[in-house]
Amino acid sequence: MKKEIKIALVAIVGLVVLFFGLSFLKGLQLFSNDVSYFVKFNDISGLTTSSPIYANGYPVGTVKNITYDYSKPHEVMVEISVNKQMTIPEGTYAQISTDMLGNVRVNLNLGQIPGQKVKPGGVINGTVQLGALADVQQMLPAVQKLLPKLDSILYNLNTLTRDPAIAQSLHNVRTITNDLTYTTKELNMLMGTLNSQVPGMLTKANGVLDNTKTLTSTLNNKVEGLDIEQTMASVNMTLANVQKFTDELNNNQGSLGLLMRDPMLYNNLTSAVSAADSLLVDLKAHPKRYVHFSIFGKKSK
């Protein structure tokens, strides 16, 4: 009889430990003073009981129960258990978020209405945070549109890389690079040669400058030996004579002026020239009128 009582006590203790263990694994705190609130969701996105509740990144409770209202297909009521020291102000809403590992939790975004709070057992509105995966899903249609273009681009790149002209161009680039390297070496050698010859070139340049100074000094001495005033006086006298000659030509009193400006003299000269020309013409036409010539002579009248 005692053995059976011991077995029954062990079984009862095992059931109690199992109950408390399962409650602990689910995140439920037994014999606690937490208060319950209800969150209304349209979609719980994988939320389960014992999922953690966070406020400002700090765990403040767990999901206690999930109830699906079959009369309202678009409404899921989630009961959450929150630490009694937590005050939830009006305007607070809950948001379901999922991390990269698939862990689901509820974030309480506390409202900004001071002096007003949600009473225990009150209802809080809930939403679902789309996250990065949702953004990727939104981008999928655009990516699908780009896939044909990407395929065409890859095909063109493959065609281009298979073109033997590309390999030849790369070979030419290598040759050009080698030529540039050789040219650079030659330029360095040339610059070295020029650097070595620069002192001699400077010496020659200094000699040329000295010769230039000597030539300049010689020209200055020759210019100083000339009588500039006498030369200018001669030039002025010549210009005065030219001016006098020009004035005489322009004056009607002088011979040259009369010759150039007297129309009567011009007409007389023209008449004389015309008469002389007529005389010569008549002389050629009738020479016997002006010249009498006989071999045997002629009796005088």
Side-chain angles (χ1 to χ4, degrees), residues 145-211:
K145 292 180 180 179
L146 289 175
L147 286 177
K149 296 181 180 180
L150 292 176
D151 184 67
S152 177
I153 292 172
L154 291 176
Y155 176 77
N156 293 331
L157 286 176
N158 291 330
T159 304
L160 184 64
T161 53
R162 288 196 301 266
D163 191 350
I166 299 296
Q168 184 64 32
S169 299
L170 294 176
H171 179 72
N172 293 336
V173 169
R174 183 177 180 181
T175 303
I176 293 172
T177 304
N178 293 332
D179 293 340
L180 288 175
T181 303
Y182 178 77
T183 303
T184 303
K185 291 181 180 179
E186 293 292 329
L187 287 174
N188 291 331
M189 294 176 61
L190 178 61
M191 292 301 296
T193 304
L194 289 175
N195 289 332
S196 62
Q197 294 179 355
V198 164
M201 294 172 66
L202 291 176
T203 303
K204 293 181 179 179
N206 291 329
V208 172
L209 291 176
D210 292 338
N211 294 333

Side-chain angles (χ1 to χ4, degrees), residues 81-108:
S81 178
V82 180
N83 193 302
K84 64 179 181 179
Q85 297 179 357
M86 181 69 188
T87 301
I88 300 178
E90 287 287 346
T92 300
Y93 66 94
Q95 189 175 49
I96 298 175
S97 63
T98 306
D99 59 17
M100 298 298 295
L101 298 178
N103 298 319
V104 182
R105 71 180 189 178
V106 177
N107 295 318
L108 291 178

Side-chain angles (χ1 to χ4, degrees), residues 65-80:
N65 189 21
I66 300 175
T67 303
Y68 184 77
D69 190 354
Y70 289 95
S71 62
K72 299 178 181 180
H74 298 290
E75 185 175 306
V76 180
M77 194 64 68
V78 177
E79 183 181 0
I80 61 175

